[in-house]
Amino acid sequence: MNSESSPEGIPAATIVIFRSAPDGGAPEVLMTVRSRTMTFAGGMAVFPGGRVDPADFELAQTIAGPDLSVDEAAHQIAAIRETLEETGLALGLSGDITADSAAKARVMIEAEGALAPVLAAFGWSLDLDQIVPFARWFPQNEKLSRVYDTRFYLADLGTGEVDVSIDNSENTRLFWTSAQGALDAAERGEIKLIFPTRRNLERLALFANFDEARAQAEAIPVKTIIPQIDDNNDQPMLRIMENAGYPITAELLSTVQRG
């Protein structure tokens, strides 16, 4: 995520990756801690993802159709590409995918910077049914170092035993946690969460499993969430819309972690 912002916002995409908890408890999601040297959200715990690149739009043009715009396809492709590069997980793809081939594909995507050459080299194809549109955040009214227009997706690994590893560039740590566990860790000061990540974790904590998350995501149309500063009270608040599926829609501006 190294492009300068524009008035329209930098297009970005991220995947909230579910897995069944090894102990049978609340489902876990994969989070990464960004390097403190990163301009945006340095040192923050976020979901894997990154900006949408021109090559993502080029590949999207080959699969778009009446039910899938080029813009939406490019965001989904970016989410798949960034997840493979940042974690080593081959989500949203179909074909002969093994731990070994995924590792080799990760090396290739880091070198090529695009997903299309990887698909051709390994004989894989896109399987966008694996990822579910969940949310869209565009904090254009806040004073941020860069403004990203980010689409969030959901995906399910199902199993509790999957190897992941950091990419050693933008991230310093990968970890599995329940959504509530991440919120509790933030309260203890063990991790830091920017406003959109905190709100999404609160929403994810509502679900007992991936199927519940998918059902809510499919029942509530994705709306563009643009946080607004509310100065009508003694202390300013940062608010989001009330009808997008989020249980907590406001936070004191003084406590908000910015990007």
Side-chain angles (χ1 to χ4, degrees), residues 56 60-61 63-64 68-78 128:
D56 300 321
Q61 290 174 356
I63 63 168
L68 182 66
S69 69
V70 170
D71 188 52
E72 176 62 21
H75 280 77
Q76 295 190 24
I77 289 166
L128 300 185

Side-chain angles (χ1 to χ4, degrees), residues 64-133:
D67 298 323
L68 182 66
S69 69
V70 170
D71 188 52
E72 176 62 21
H75 280 77
Q76 295 190 24
I77 289 166
I80 292 166
R81 174 182 54 76
E82 287 281 346
T83 297
L84 178 58
E85 184 172 356
E86 291 189 358
T87 73
L89 296 175
L91 294 171
L93 301 168
S94 62
D96 183 14
I97 301 174
T98 64
D100 181 63
S101 63
K104 292 177 180 177
R106 184 184 192 182
V107 172
M108 184 176 182
I109 208 167
E110 289 173 347
E112 296 283 348
L115 187 58
V118 173
L119 300 182
F122 290 87
W124 297 348
S125 59
L126 292 165
D127 184 3
L128 300 185
D129 289 339
Q130 293 182 26
I131 61 176
V132 182

